[in-house]
Amino acid sequence: MTPGGRAAVFGRPIGHSKSPALHRAAYAALGLDIAYEPVDAGADDANALARRLRAEPGWRGASVTMPLKQAMVPLMDSVSARVGRLGALNTIVVGGAPGHPTLRGENTDVEGIVRALNDAGARGVRRVAILGSGGTATAATEAASLLGARSVDFAVRSLPRAAGCLALADRLGLAAEAVDPSEAGRRMPRYDAVISTLPAGAADPLLPVLRVDTIRPGTALLDVIYDPWPSELARSWEAAGGRVAGGLSMLVHQAVEQVRLFTGGGDRDWAGVTNVMCDTVGLPRPGS
């Protein structure tokens, strides 16, 4: 292998993270000796993490998970336009000249969502429902726009909490509305895709009102959780004739983009990297 440097994933809790296994498999497949470790850190550690990335040699970058996705943004030297819109990052790229490192914030969650839904057969997407209104819901909103959606419904129990998502949808040129889950259930046959950004178990009590049994056959669902899996929502969706992608699919695809950023991209076998990552976490390879 060639010399490569180091990278890490920052977050709390971090012991369950599959990012180390994914990244290590990718760098091995690319023939790069890049070390990748989990670092347990909370929002109060954000400044110390930024200083560490600047002070210690060899850093390529860091994956960022909760609760640091928003806390790290103001500590960057620059951020992508997407991070500026979403107010959250999941990737820090270390660049600059030797002795003068710079930190750039990126967000690859959006690519993860788009490609996971593509894996679930999402095509001709015009109307989308997003369950939830937190940080992942903002990434889902931008993903919906990239998929070609024209309108988005945010299914939330507290309508005011969707204000940020509604403002983002407006900036992206999407018609958007905050609705309670029962109204989303009445509209379920109209959706071309549904994205659940709710934490594990949170969708279970909503199943009676979501009326999953009324979806059009083949409608794509992305449920961003991956433990436990399959979720009750995913089981119900498949039983109704829909197609499902889970959080592992999103995780793999966003990680591929992180590897691309940490290695400088280039003409590499990225499809092969994706396949290796899928094998690592037991996912079917895309298109298989």
Side-chain angles (χ1 to χ4, degrees), residues 81-106:
R82 175 181 294 164
V83 171
R85 283 190 297 273
L86 303 185
L89 57 77
N90 78 325
T91 308
I92 300 171
V93 181
V94 181
H100 297 87
T102 59
L103 307 183
R104 185 176 82 251
E106 302 281 355

Side-chain angles (χ1 to χ4, degrees), residues 159-172:
L159 300 187
R161 290 185 180 177
C165 289
L166 291 171
L168 174 62
D170 183 66
R171 290 182 65 186
L172 294 170

Side-chain angles (χ1 to χ4, degrees), residues 2-278:
T2 59
R6 60 198 300 206
V9 55
F10 301 153
R12 180 175 293 160
I14 205 66
H16 71 289
S17 176
K18 297 185 182 298
S19 291
L22 290 172
H23 278 258
R24 290 166 186 165
Y27 301 133
L30 291 170
L32 298 172
D33 186 18
I34 297 177
Y36 189 100
E37 301 296 335
V39 175
D40 181 87
D44 291 343
D45 301 309
N47 282 287
L49 293 171
R51 287 194 299 268
R52 182 177 175 185
L53 291 174
R54 297 181 196 280
E56 297 176 357
W59 282 104
R60 295 291 192 102
S63 310
V64 180
T65 186
M66 295 303 291
L68 288 156
K69 289 188 173 185
Q70 295 173 323
M72 297 297 297
V73 172
L75 305 176
M76 299 297 101
D77 297 299
S78 64
V79 298
S80 67
R82 175 181 294 164
V83 171
R85 283 190 297 273
L86 303 185
L89 57 77
N90 78 325
T91 308
I92 300 171
V93 181
V94 181
H100 297 87
T102 59
L103 307 183
R104 185 176 82 251
E106 302 281 355
N107 191 309
T108 68
D109 282 337
V110 175
E111 281 87 2
I113 293 170
V114 169
R115 292 174 191 170
L117 280 168
N118 285 339
D119 287 349
R123 301 290 186 274
V125 174
R126 292 296 179 267
R127 189 164 187 172
V128 174
I130 296 174
L131 310 184
S133 59
T136 306
T138 59
T141 304
E142 180 136 337
S145 176
L146 292 176
L147 285 164
R150 296 173 181 170
S151 69
V152 178
D153 289 344
F154 297 99
V156 290
R157 289 192 249 195
S158 174
L159 300 187
R161 290 185 180 177
C165 289
L166 291 171
L168 174 62
D170 183 66
R171 290 182 65 186
L172 294 170
L174 298 170
E177 186 178 357
V179 299
D180 62 51
S182 59
E183 178 59 26
R186 285 188 285 272
R187 301 179 183 186
M188 195 58 66
R190 309 178 199 173
Y191 297 130
D192 303 305
V194 173
I195 306 167
S196 174
T197 68
L198 299 174
D204 295 354
L206 303 180
L207 285 173
V209 300
L210 285 176
R211 300 176 62 180
V212 170
D213 60 310
T214 66
I215 64 171
R216 300 195 309 273
T219 301
L221 166 74
L222 170 61
D223 189 344
V224 303
I225 70 167
Y226 59 80
D227 185 23
W229 189 259
S231 64
E232 290 302 317
L233 175 60
R235 286 195 185 95
S236 298
W237 201 271
E238 287 190 326
R243 299 185 62 180
V244 175
L248 276 182
S249 179
M250 175 185 168
L251 185 68
V252 164
H253 287 301
Q254 64 84 27
V256 171
E257 289 306 303
Q258 290 181 334
V259 171
R260 197 191 302 265
L261 289 166
F262 295 166
T263 61
D267 186 18
R268 303 179 188 268
D269 181 12
W270 297 110
V273 169
T274 303
N275 288 340
V276 166
M277 285 186 168
C278 286

